[in-house]
Amino acid sequence: TFAVVKDILAGKHAVGDTVVLRGWVRTRRDSKAGFSFINLHDGSCFDAVQAVVPNSLENYSSEVQKLTTSCSVSVTATVVESQGKGQEFELQVSALEVLGWVEDPETYPMAPKRHSMEYLREYAHLRPRTNITGAVTRVRHTLAQALHRFFHENNFFWVSTPIITTSDAEGAGELFRVSTLDMTNLPLTDKGQVDYNEDFFGKEAFLTVSGQLNAEAYACALSKVYTFGPTFRAENSNTSRHLAEFWMVEPEVAFADLDDIAKLSEDMLKYVFKAVLEERADDMAFFAQRVDKDAITRLEHMISNDFVHMDYTDAIDILLKSGKEFKYPVAWGVDLQSEHERYLAEEHVGAPVILKNYPRDIKAFYMRQNEDGKTVAAMDVLAPGIGEIIGGSAREERLDLLDKRIDEMGLPKEEYSWYRDLRRYGTVPHAGFGLGFERLVSYVTGMSNIRDVIPFPRAPHSADF
Ligand code: 4AD
Ligand code: MG
């Protein structure tokens, strides 16, 4: 049978069983006693398994002793109890076939030593071979699976919302435009340049910044839905928490108000934190050891404590009284910057904060107005170390108030006519939020740059691979 490292280390094969394992060499060490120790990994879990290769193999000196990091091999071996400390099981190899050599190991970019994250970013196609990117990838997978499971168990339906759209869901003008190849001008012009039409088959269209508006249409019929897909923002921000292409999870709930979705966000985060601690203990131990010593304790703390709710207005008070010199000055009405968010979550509270009821004028057109006429029923979840990981709101379900807002903000009403229909035909209060998936992965792993938690990051000046 073909085996995977994870099963071998977990004792899924009886001692004495013969298995075939295919994977890559992590390290090789030759012993004077007539065998080599090869650490083999296949990505199925954090650890590699130790394979003991005797010099009696016919290709021992011709091949085995020439193996270097990342050579691919297939071994036939017996599962045995390990003599050494650490792992319980190892492999006693009876045959080893080299599948692929590493040419010129001296210049192999992933040669085994500590590489900086900046260096690894230049090798986005090879970095999945490193311990750190492997661990991030498995944690990312587990978080995605746990999110789907959480919503499924809570009677949400997954709705796939479009990537190409004509509406600017956030009204913030951070759109990438979609164009089509100009078929009338093919083949290519003699300069070798491609001609594009300025639009999507005769209409201006963009890559979506959020699936929310489409999700609202489905929530207003199926009650509880969520999206999980890629979103795009043409903001030219070169920060460690912004990407031009990122994934977003957006639940939308009919008949819900702001406190309902604040609660939902807390339940959801706790659920996925638990899943990661249970299912990715090996990877999380690595993050705690090598990346951020609080990686595990932070999640445990969050699981067992209530999130702190705070009004925007009170947060401004706290920031004003903090005596801190912020780069961006604080006053009621300003949008909070990451330094403010981090002060609140890290220094003032020391745990995630759900900030609610923001000034109307700094928020999107669809947010529900509060009685005071100044604020909207919006919320952000602020996490220590990162700042905003979730943004959401109750939606304005009253057509007259929505129209007033669209007019005030000078948005093209025609583009939102289908959205207005949701208010014209059986409107209901509803609310939802968006979780930036990469911000979540950063938060859970302690990885400080968002570009290191998505396989192939897209950001200003970064779209290779
Ligand atoms: O706060 P945002 O802009 O909210 C929305 O898009 C709403 N339509 C969501 C909703 O209510 N359904 O974005 C939501 C989250 C942010 O809290 C942040 O975590 C993440 O998306 N985000 C980004 N992540 C990476 N790179 C960027 N450029 C991001 N912009 C937002
Ligand atoms: Mg936001």
Side-chain angles (χ1 to χ4, degrees):
T1 50
F2 291 113
V4 294
V5 174
K6 179 174 185 241
D7 289 348
I8 295 169
L9 294 180
K12 295 258 169 75
H13 297 273
V15 167
D17 270 7
T18 298
V19 296
V20 177
L21 175 70
R22 295 162 306 178
W24 295 269
V25 173
R26 192 168 270 167
T27 56
R28 191 197 87 235
R29 183 167 61 82
D30 298 333
S31 121
K32 295 221 170 64
F35 36 79
S36 295
F37 297 105
I38 295 179
N39 267 305
L40 281 181
H41 74 97
D42 62 4
S44 60
C45 60
F46 183 82
D47 282 318
V49 66
Q50 172 156 285
V52 183
V53 189
N55 64 4
S56 54
L57 295 197
E58 59 173 25
N59 60 346
Y60 184 76
S61 54
S62 60
E63 296 197 317
V64 174
Q65 287 195 299
K66 292 181 178 150
L67 288 170
T68 57
T69 299
S70 289
C71 287
S72 53
V73 296
S74 175
V75 299
T76 305
T78 310
V79 177
V80 297
E81 271 171 46
S82 179
Q83 302 305 313
K85 294 198 284 281
Q87 294 177 342
E88 251 184 283
F89 304 98
E90 60 184 32
L91 297 176
Q92 190 66 50
V93 176
S94 53
L96 182 149
E97 184 193 348
V98 180
L99 303 176
W101 291 99
V102 167
E103 56 178 70
D104 200 2
E106 304 295 300
T107 61
Y108 175 50
M110 297 293 115
K113 59 172 177 184
R114 266 207 209 186
H115 301 292
S116 71
M117 294 315 296
E118 289 76 17
Y119 174 86
L120 292 181
R121 246 170 260 148
E122 290 171 30
Y123 295 95
H125 59 309
L126 296 178
R127 70 177 182 173
R129 300 159 182 227
T130 61
N131 282 336
I132 200 159
T133 305
V136 166
T137 306
R138 285 182 296 270
V139 166
R140 189 179 159 104
H141 164 84
T142 294
L143 285 168
Q145 290 286 321
L147 283 163
H148 281 300
R149 219 163 51 232
F150 171 81
F151 287 119
H152 178 71
E153 287 171 8
N154 286 283
N155 301 314
F156 282 72
F157 298 107
W158 180 28
V159 173
S160 305
T161 49
I163 287 173
I164 298 174
T165 177
T166 53
S167 44
D168 178 357
E170 291 302 298
E174 295 169 335
L175 302 162
F176 288 108
R177 191 154 156 179
V178 175
S179 51
T180 49
L181 205 56
D182 183 356
M183 302 303 272
T184 61
N185 235 344
L186 291 176
L188 309 184
T189 57
D190 38 337
K191 288 202 190 85
Q193 291 194 327
V194 186
D195 276 351
Y196 295 100
N197 290 312
E198 293 269 280
D199 55 29
F200 177 78
F201 305 113
K203 190 159 174 31
E204 198 175 42
F206 311 97
L207 298 180
T208 188
V209 295
S210 157
Q212 176 197 321
L213 305 191
N214 304 83
E216 284 184 54
Y218 274 71
C220 291
L222 286 93
S223 296
K224 292 161 91 176
V225 300
Y226 70 104
T227 71
F228 192 167
T231 49
F232 307 85
R233 303 255 169 123
E235 49 193 337
N236 195 0
S237 30
N238 248 309
T239 78
S240 59
R241 42 180 232 145
H242 288 91
L243 290 164
E245 176 179 313
F246 64 98
W247 286 64
M248 188 148 53
V249 180
E250 299 184 89
E252 192 66 36
V253 188
F255 316 107
D257 64 16
L258 189 65
D259 284 329
D260 294 328
I261 56 148
K263 167 95 170 47
L264 180 70
S265 70
E266 181 169 347
D267 292 346
M268 176 193 76
L269 289 174
K270 288 181 172 175
Y271 183 98
V272 302
F273 293 157
K274 268 193 205 131
V276 164
L277 291 178
E278 276 167 25
E279 296 166 29
R280 295 265 84 92
D282 53 351
D283 293 314
M284 289 307 295
F286 169 76
F287 289 119
Q289 196 197 348
R290 279 275 302 279
V291 176
D292 176 354
K293 66 176 173 32
D294 299 326
I296 293 173
T297 46
R298 182 171 52 222
L299 299 188
E300 288 169 344
H301 181 262
M302 286 197 45
I303 290 167
S304 49
N305 286 283
D306 289 341
F307 290 12
V308 173
H309 290 229
M310 190 188 287
D311 253 46
Y312 169 89
T313 302
D314 297 330
I316 293 294
D317 256 10
I318 290 166
L319 291 168
L320 285 173
K321 289 190 187 130
S322 71
K324 280 205 70 119
E325 286 270 340
F326 293 111
K327 188 163 155 236
Y328 295 90
V330 176
W332 198 95
V334 301
D335 206 357
L336 295 186
Q337 301 295 322
S338 135
E339 56 172 346
H340 308 134
E341 296 175 346
R342 293 185 56 169
Y343 175 82
L344 292 169
E346 273 160 54
E347 297 182 47
H348 187 75
V349 175
V353 175
I354 303 187
L355 209 57
K356 302 189 293 192
N357 301 314
Y358 283 75
R360 189 186 68 167
D361 293 340
I362 56 169
K363 287 293 181 183
F365 71 95
Y366 53 72
M367 295 192 178
R368 192 179 197 280
Q369 276 193 52
N370 288 328
E371 298 296 314
D372 63 14
K374 294 193 305 191
T375 60
V376 287
M379 67 148 201
D380 276 1
V381 177
L382 312 179
I386 295 202
E388 175 188 348
I389 60 171
I390 287 179
S393 77
R395 319 307 188 189
E396 188 54 81
E397 84 281 9
R398 300 160 294 187
L399 183 62
D400 51 337
L401 291 171
L402 180 69
D403 277 348
K404 198 158 159 262
R405 216 47 207 134
I406 289 177
D407 290 340
E408 278 168 5
M409 296 177 80
L411 297 170
K413 208 178 220 153
E414 327 75 63
E415 294 301 330
Y416 297 100
S417 72
W418 66 268
Y419 186 71
R420 296 174 61 250
D421 277 354
L422 305 177
R423 279 70 182 164
R424 295 172 63 208
Y425 308 123
T427 190
V428 289
H430 59 289
F433 63 77
L435 162 71
F437 186 56
E438 284 73 22
R439 297 233 180 128
L440 175 72
V441 182
S442 285
Y443 183 67
V444 167
T445 56
M447 296 290 288
S448 55
N449 194 315
I450 198 165
R451 295 177 198 206
D452 301 326
V453 299
I454 186 165
F456 296 97
R458 267 80 182 102
H461 316 296
S462 157
D464 301 334
F465 305 101

